[in-house]
């Protein structure tokens, strides 16, 4: 299985258009020891011919253009992108669907609740279904595995399964709508398997419990929420706002942070993704970067390619 990291930053990207934090400022002046990043986007393939996207980032159009394996191959209209699997309804995970609206057939895998939010409440997504060969929506359920199929129903050799990670819907979903949705369908963790190898993809993790730890040990590659270094990171930068945990992200550092909580995992290769521009571990000259690398973790960069 081939895994391509097309983008590795959290929402806003790095640098973020309106951010003047130490990191963003240093990137703009060329003084930063580290890489700028687009918003998190992962693509997977078992044959390197048909590709599936894990979520659809707001930067998807340029990420596709920067990745020759995702370019059209033959005919006037074509794409190797066969489908998109959505882990939540967050804008950072769905906005890229609007860039895929050019009458190209592909599949969208999501929970029934996310499908209702997108199809019934947000009419702009109807543009995906205006053609005679429409985008086909496949509803997925936690604890069921499902094959990833081409629009013509050819089996890609990749199997997906999902589990619930959180119950909070995005802020743009009205309280009335949320009341009618199943809470366990709000935020998913994803397991992607092909040829006996397993990727576990968790770009947003609100809490780490024992059940989650048990799941993670069987992963060959773990792509894990690296949004914030500390719980009060945004408050330190902005002077006010929400904590990392309030925003649904376990911080990397601290007694209950992911670095310490996942230290016991022995089997998976561990890599942080979805890294916010304020996170000090982006600075490769800093102590936070060294701490993460010394703990055996990698920090994903745009353009990373992993063969599992
Ligand atoms: Zn910033």
């Amino acid at each position: 299985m081939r895994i391509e990291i097309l983008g590795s930053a959290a929402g806003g990207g790095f640098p973020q258009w309106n951010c003047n934090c130490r990191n963003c400022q240093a990137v703009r002046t060329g003084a930063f020891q580290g890489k700028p990043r687009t918003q998190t986007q992962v693509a997977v393939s078992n044959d390197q011919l048909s590709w599936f996207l894990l979520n659809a980032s707001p930067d998807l159009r340029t990420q596709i253009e920067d990745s020759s394996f995702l370019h059209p191959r033959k005919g006037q209209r074509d794409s190797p992108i066969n489908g998109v699997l959505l882990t939540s309804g967050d804008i950072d995970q769905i906005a890229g669907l609007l860039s895929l609206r050019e009458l190209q057939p592909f599949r969208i895998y999501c929970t029934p609740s996310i499908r209702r939010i997108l199809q019934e409440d947000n009419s702009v997504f109807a543009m995906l279904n205006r053609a005679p060969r429409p985008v086909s929506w496949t509803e997925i359920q936690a604890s069921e595995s499902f094959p990833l199929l081409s629009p013509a129903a050819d089996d890609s050799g990749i199997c997906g399964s999902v589990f619930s990670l959180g119950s909070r819907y995005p802020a743009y979903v009205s309280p009335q709508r949320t009341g009618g949705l199943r809470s366990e369908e709000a935020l998913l963790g994803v397991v992607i398997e092909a040829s006996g190898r397993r990727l576990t993809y968790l770009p947003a993790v609100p809490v780490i419990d024992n059940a989650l730890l048990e799941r993670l040990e069987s992963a060959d590659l773990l792509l894990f929420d690296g949004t914030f270094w500390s719980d009060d990171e945004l408050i330190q930068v902005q002077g006010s706002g929400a904590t990392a945990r309030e925003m649904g992200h376990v911080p990397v550092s601290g007694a209950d942070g992911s670095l310490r909580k996942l230290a016991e995992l022995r089997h998976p290769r561990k890599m942080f993704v979805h890294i916010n521009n304020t996170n000090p571990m982006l600075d490769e000259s800093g102590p936070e970067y060294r701490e993460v690398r010394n703990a055996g973790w990698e920090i994903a960069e745009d353009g990373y390619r992993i063969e599992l």
Side-chain angles (χ1 to χ4, degrees), residues 70-305:
L70 295 179
H71 293 172
R73 297 148 301 187
K74 57 187 187 305
Q76 287 304 305
R77 290 284 189 274
D78 177 65
S79 175
I81 295 171
N82 280 232
V84 182
L85 198 167
L86 301 177
T87 60
S88 79
D90 284 352
I91 290 172
D92 301 337
Q93 316 294 16
I94 62 164
L97 288 175
L98 297 176
S99 299
L100 302 180
R101 71 189 183 283
E102 312 293 352
L103 305 177
Q104 185 69 33
F106 65 93
R107 289 176 185 268
I108 298 175
Y109 297 85
C110 64
T111 60
S113 294
I114 299 300
R115 175 177 167 146
R116 287 175 68 187
I117 292 168
L118 299 186
Q119 285 206 292
E120 296 174 16
D121 299 353
N122 292 276
S123 58
V124 68
F125 289 100
M127 291 302 278
L128 293 168
N129 288 95
R130 71 197 149 118
R133 293 169 67 210
V135 168
S136 57
W137 296 70
T138 303
E139 293 185 347
I140 54 176
Q141 310 280 354
S143 73
E144 272 176 19
S145 66
F146 47 91
L148 294 183
L149 303 175
S150 76
D154 300 317
D155 195 335
S156 65
I158 302 176
C159 191
S161 59
V162 294
F163 56 93
S164 181
L165 263 182
S167 57
R168 197 167 60 182
Y169 284 95
Y172 72 83
V173 182
S174 72
Q176 295 88 326
R177 171 53 101 182
T178 303
L181 300 175
R182 295 163 66 105
S183 59
E184 66 270 27
E185 294 182 358
L187 174 66
L188 301 177
V190 173
V191 177
I192 298 289
E193 291 182 89
S195 311
R197 306 287 285 169
R198 181 177 289 186
L199 158 69
T200 301
Y201 183 57
L202 310 174
V205 179
V207 67
I208 300 171
D209 57 20
N210 287 336
L212 180 63
L213 286 173
E214 258 172 56
R215 286 180 186 279
L216 301 188
E217 187 61 70
S218 64
D220 295 299
L221 173 65
L222 172 62
L223 295 176
F224 196 87
D225 183 347
T227 311
F228 297 112
W229 177 258
S230 53
D231 200 35
D232 64 348
E233 185 167 317
L234 279 191
I235 298 169
Q236 281 184 37
V237 170
Q238 300 171 161
S240 63
T243 66
R245 290 177 196 278
E246 284 167 356
M247 295 176 71
H249 298 286
V250 172
V252 172
S253 71
D256 284 331
S258 50
L259 216 48
R260 208 162 296 172
K261 285 277 217 176
L262 303 188
E264 299 303 314
L265 291 183
R266 287 289 164 248
H267 181 67
R269 177 176 173 185
K270 295 183 275 194
M271 192 181 291
F272 285 116
V273 285
H274 199 268
I275 305 144
N276 200 58
N277 58 78
T278 51
N279 192 323
M281 73 181 183
L282 288 168
D283 180 352
E284 295 173 19
S285 67
E288 294 87 356
Y289 176 83
R290 280 195 300 279
E291 186 179 342
V292 170
R293 300 291 285 124
N294 289 340
W297 283 78
E298 295 165 84
I299 302 174
E301 295 176 11
D302 297 15
Y304 268 17
R305 167 175 296 172

Side-chain angles (χ1 to χ4, degrees), residues 19 21 24 277-278:
C19 189
C21 76
C24 288
N277 58 78
T278 51

